[in-house]
Amino acid sequence: MKRQENKACGADIHKRFLMACILSRDGSKVLNRFDMTVEGVLCFASWLKDNNCKKVAVESTGNYWHLVYQVLDDEFEFILGNAFKTRRHSGAKTDKRDAEWLAELCLNNQIEPSMILPKEDRELRALTRARKGYVDFRSKLKARTIQELEACTIKLASELSDVFGKSGRHVLQGLVDGRSADVIVESIPSKKVKKNKEMIKQAIIAGLSPISIFLIKSHIQMIDEVDKKLVQLDAQISRLLKARKRDVEIAMSIPGIGFVSAAAILSEIGDYRNFASGKKLAAFSGLDPSVYESAGKRYNGKITKMGSKYLRRMIIECPHALSRTKAKTQLKRFFLRIMARRGKNIATVALARKMLVVLHHLLINQEMYKDDGLAKPKNVKVSFSEESNYPSLDEMIEVLVGAGYFVKKDSQGG
């Protein structure tokens, strides 16, 4: 049983102000409004002390609660509640009523506290989420570029598997520079792609209009800028992951999980010891099936999606990578077995949940993933530059090559 407090405060936080209500056991309440500034939140803390209130509950909406947490954490019991679980389902909604409702739930210990990560973990999570935003933005730019090509009847995407790979970028640069189709296809650097030069020539023979050239050139420049930002982000993520090198290697030992996936998953999980089991971690990601029971019969429905959408998205991408591998691992066999009965989408989600449970087990026991289906254990080598906060030269080259660039090192290593 939790200790019963005589007073509790509920704070309804907004961008410019917060509405606070202190509720006592005798039913008395005190309401006040404070600005959402450092000075305003300090006044809020003094007001709580004057009213002898040591317990405060807020909703986890946006990032507005961060300032309140930083000011109150040392001297008060701070409870961060899930907004979906604390919302009031009936009655008129006002700021005062929301604050009173939070105070009532807090006073009666009816709020399940959400996990608050330490500052370093919050910084790592901010970086990985920012990286996701940049990747999504780059994908939109690439899609717009392809749409602009299609509008000019240039079917380059039909002939090249990657329009923004080495050969694709060569063709795009030739088009925006105004070179003829013959010159472009004859100078394609890849011999494999050059074998289809006649089909590529027919795909790009229409050429581009001046407006299309301007738009495509702008998109390509933005894609290059995003690639540079991603290299910088990867450097900062690597810096923060130095202390968790072993955890990164364990995560990457699972087939289908690479460095980017491992970094994002670990940043969302935080301290894996906070989860009693792999099932608890799966529930945190929203991958648990919904349950409906009536008349003694129990039915499992779709996944709840009540959890970290960032963790769920990243872990669901891993089965797609695993399904393309040739090794007949236990995870791959599990995926194929479910896909044969329920289809690819359900198999992907089921495998994602299984991978998360396996990852939790490995992290708790500090073990590398082993599988009889692997001819040899997955080669995991994570190196961080000790001389600076940035990745080594080889790591940066690997990122650029993965983005489709051609990088050549000279004899001096430049």
Side-chain angles (χ1 to χ4, degrees):
M1 294 290 292
K2 292 184 179 179
R3 182 171 63 88
Q4 295 290 326
E5 297 285 349
N6 292 324
K7 289 183 178 181
C9 176
D12 187 32
I13 302 177
H14 300 275
K15 183 178 181 179
R16 292 185 173 85
F17 70 92
L18 68 85
M19 180 62 67
C21 172
I22 295 178
L23 182 64
S24 303
R25 288 284 173 194
D26 58 8
S28 61
K29 61 184 71 171
V30 183
L31 288 160
N32 207 340
R33 172 174 163 155
F34 302 90
D35 293 332
M36 273 298 293
T37 60
V38 174
E39 184 180 356
V41 177
L42 288 173
C43 291
F44 174 49
S46 299
W47 179 72
L48 291 171
K49 292 178 183 178
D50 294 341
N51 286 275
N52 196 28
C53 179
K54 295 293 184 181
K55 192 174 183 180
V56 183
V58 303
E59 291 180 336
S60 58
T61 51
N63 294 325
Y64 303 142
W65 62 270
H66 285 185
L67 175 59
V68 180
Y69 171 71
Q70 291 170 7
V71 173
L72 302 184
D73 183 44
D74 293 335
E75 301 182 57
F76 298 88
E77 182 183 351
F78 186 87
I79 299 175
L80 183 66
N82 187 313
F84 180 82
K85 296 180 180 179
T86 58
R87 66 180 181 179
R88 196 169 189 170
H89 295 280
S90 61
K93 185 182 184 306
T94 64
D95 296 334
K96 291 182 178 180
R97 289 195 176 189
D98 288 344
E100 292 172 6
W101 177 245
L102 281 172
E104 182 179 341
L105 294 177
C106 181
L107 188 64
N108 297 305
N109 295 322
Q110 292 179 300
I111 300 179
E112 181 181 353
S114 296
M115 181 175 59
I116 301 178
L117 298 178
K119 182 181 178 181
E120 289 152 0
D121 290 339
R122 292 202 303 271
E123 290 175 347
L124 177 60
R125 176 183 285 186
L127 288 172
T128 55
R129 290 183 178 182
R131 191 187 192 284
K132 169 190 170 295
Y134 276 113
V135 170
D136 290 344
F137 179 56
R138 185 179 62 180
S139 298
K140 290 180 180 179
L141 288 172
K142 290 181 177 180
R144 289 173 185 171
T145 302
I146 293 175
Q147 288 173 2
E148 195 62 37
L149 291 172
E150 295 283 345
C152 296
T153 66
I154 295 179
K155 308 294 183 180
L156 189 59
S158 301
E159 304 302 332
L160 296 178
S161 58
D162 184 7
V163 176
F164 299 91
K166 181 180 176 182
S167 298
R169 287 296 295 262
H170 173 82
V171 174
L172 284 176
Q173 193 61 48
L175 288 171
V176 298
D177 289 344
R179 294 199 292 267
S180 65
D182 290 325
V183 174
I184 292 173
V185 297
E186 289 298 334
S187 57
I188 290 176
S190 173
K191 294 181 180 179
K192 182 178 179 181
V193 176
K194 203 170 183 179
K195 292 179 180 179
N196 300 325
K197 63 180 182 180
E198 289 301 324
M199 298 181 68
I200 296 174
K201 180 180 176 181
Q202 292 300 319
I204 65 175
I205 199 169
L208 296 172
S209 66
I211 296 300
S212 296
I213 290 175
F214 170 77
L215 290 174
I216 292 174
K217 188 180 291 186
S218 299
H219 294 334
I220 292 175
Q221 290 173 351
M222 287 297 295
I223 290 170
D224 292 342
E225 288 298 321
V226 171
D227 286 336
K228 293 177 183 177
K229 291 296 182 184
L230 287 175
V231 172
Q232 295 172 3
L233 277 172
D234 288 338
Q236 294 298 322
I237 291 171
S238 298
R239 177 179 64 84
L240 292 180
L241 281 175
K242 282 182 182 179
R244 303 185 64 180
K245 180 180 178 182
R246 178 62 178 174
D247 292 343
V248 175
E249 291 175 344
I250 290 173
M252 291 177 63
S253 69
I254 301 176
I257 298 182
F259 178 78
V260 173
S261 302
I265 292 169
L266 292 175
S267 70
E268 293 297 328
I269 292 175
D271 188 354
Y272 48 83
R273 289 178 288 268
N274 290 331
F275 301 94
S277 65
K279 292 181 179 180
K280 294 288 185 181
L281 179 56
F284 172 74
S285 68
L287 288 175
D288 262 7
S290 56
V291 177
Y292 174 76
E293 186 172 0
S294 179
K297 293 184 178 180
R298 181 169 175 163
Y299 305 92
N300 288 336
K302 297 180 180 180
I303 58 174
T304 63
K305 295 187 179 180
M306 293 293 295
S308 172
K309 62 180 180 181
Y310 298 97
L311 175 58
R312 186 167 61 253
R313 168 181 165 165
M314 185 53 66
I315 195 64
I316 284 180
E317 286 182 2
C318 297
H320 291 293
L322 178 61
S323 64
R324 292 191 292 267
T325 60
K326 296 181 179 180
K328 298 296 183 180
T329 61
Q330 294 181 13
L331 295 174
K332 179 73 173 289
R333 291 196 295 268
F334 172 83
F335 173 80
L336 295 175
R337 186 168 65 250
I338 300 297
M339 185 175 69
R341 294 189 293 110
R342 306 293 301 276
K344 186 175 181 179
N345 290 339
I346 292 179
T348 299
V349 174
L351 180 56
R353 184 185 184 279
K354 188 176 185 66
M355 292 175 74
L356 205 53
V357 173
V358 170
L359 175 60
H360 182 268
H361 171 81
L362 296 176
L363 290 172
I364 288 293
N365 295 281
Q366 288 294 288
E367 298 174 352
M368 304 291 280
Y369 179 81
K370 297 179 182 179
D371 197 312
D372 296 336
L374 292 172
K376 58 180 181 178
K378 185 179 176 183
N379 185 21
V380 179
K381 183 180 179 181
V382 182
S383 59
F384 299 105
S385 175
E386 298 295 338
E387 298 178 357
S388 67
N389 292 335
Y390 298 94
S392 63
L393 177 62
D394 291 335
E395 290 172 333
M396 289 190 284
I397 290 175
E398 184 179 352
V399 172
L400 290 172
V401 171
Y405 290 94
F406 174 72
V407 182
K408 182 179 180 181
K409 291 175 65 177
D410 58 26
S411 58
Q412 283 75 34

